[in-house]
Amino acid sequence: MAEAVTMVHDQGLTDALVELTDTIVPGFDPAAFARRLAAHGAGLPGVAASGVLLADGDGAPRITGASTPLTLALCRAEADTGEGPGADALRHGRHVRRGDLRAPDPRWPRFAAAARGAGLASVHALPVRLRDDVFGVLSLYGDEPGPLPVETGTAGRALADAASVGLHHRRLIDHHEELTGQLRYALTSRVVIEQAKGLLAERLELRMDAAFDILRGYARAHNDKLTDIAARVVAGTLDPTLPDQRAHAAT
């Protein structure tokens, strides 16, 4: 247990944990994040290679990262076929392990064969999970059969937990930016529609609600967006009261 505590507080691991939680940055790149997480996993004692699967909003594996080209091929195969310890850990949100990949495994026959071909003998797939949200999987591979060293299991779990916090924060930021964009678009659209209503109401000496009915009726009749119609009215390229817009545009 003392060794585990030492490992968890090692400066290199501490730096990795800080890095993985720091995702509130401009231009965040999930693919680069997956590669960094895999590199940190591969640096743990007893780990020969590491792979990462990150999920999309529906929980399907979307982004892969790995410490070696062969491991990257394994991760991509898991993402494509849904077969393998990483795919299972992502699907069920729990730790999946296989201490000896040299023996046939009915759960993942193609994966086990490919792993052996890559010189890998064991795997521990740790879900990158925060409460009920599963963001991905960190897979730690050994080139010898057997369990992970205790300190490696502790450190691997710490890496996965730090990654889950970072990805959770990133999801919150992305959701906030999406809502902000939607609100900005809604406000801009409303301003344009009000301008178009005002122009029509003044020119045709109509009430504002009557002018709005003209805009809405034209948009529905032409299967177009109300905001786009309003913008064209404001720009002077459309008169929704004219039956032939081509003739209006030509003048």
Side-chain angles (χ1 to χ4, degrees), residues 93-119:
R94 63 172 182 262
H95 184 174
V96 176
R97 70 202 76 192
R98 177 69 173 175
D100 191 352
L101 290 170
R102 298 174 303 178
D105 193 321
R107 294 177 295 177
W108 327 301
R110 290 173 295 180
F111 170 86
R116 290 194 299 272

Side-chain angles (χ1 to χ4, degrees), residues 4-154:
V5 173
T6 300
M7 180 62 191
V8 170
H9 288 87
D10 176 81
Q11 187 60 48
L13 181 61
T14 301
D15 291 344
L17 299 179
V18 171
E19 177 190 351
L20 292 171
T21 57
D22 184 18
T23 55
I24 307 177
V25 293
F28 173 74
D29 183 355
F33 182 87
R35 291 192 296 269
R36 292 198 303 272
L37 177 56
H40 292 313
L44 299 177
V47 176
S50 177
V52 171
L53 297 177
L54 296 184
D56 60 17
D58 296 324
R62 178 173 61 93
I63 293 174
T64 58
S67 61
T68 69
L70 289 176
T71 312
L72 181 60
L74 280 177
C75 290
R76 288 175 174 170
E78 285 193 89
D80 291 340
T81 65
E83 177 192 312
D88 283 358
L90 181 62
R91 188 179 300 114
H92 302 296
R94 63 172 182 262
H95 184 174
V96 176
R97 70 202 76 192
R98 177 69 173 175
D100 191 352
L101 290 170
R102 298 174 303 178
D105 193 321
R107 294 177 295 177
W108 327 301
R110 290 173 295 180
F111 170 86
R116 290 194 299 272
L120 303 174
S122 64
V123 60
H124 285 255
L126 308 172
V128 177
R129 175 177 181 170
L130 184 64
R131 292 184 287 275
D132 293 332
D133 292 327
V134 182
F135 299 95
V137 174
L138 169 63
S139 295
L140 305 177
Y141 297 93
D143 53 10
E144 295 291 339
L148 289 172
V150 173
E151 67 272 20
T152 298
T154 300

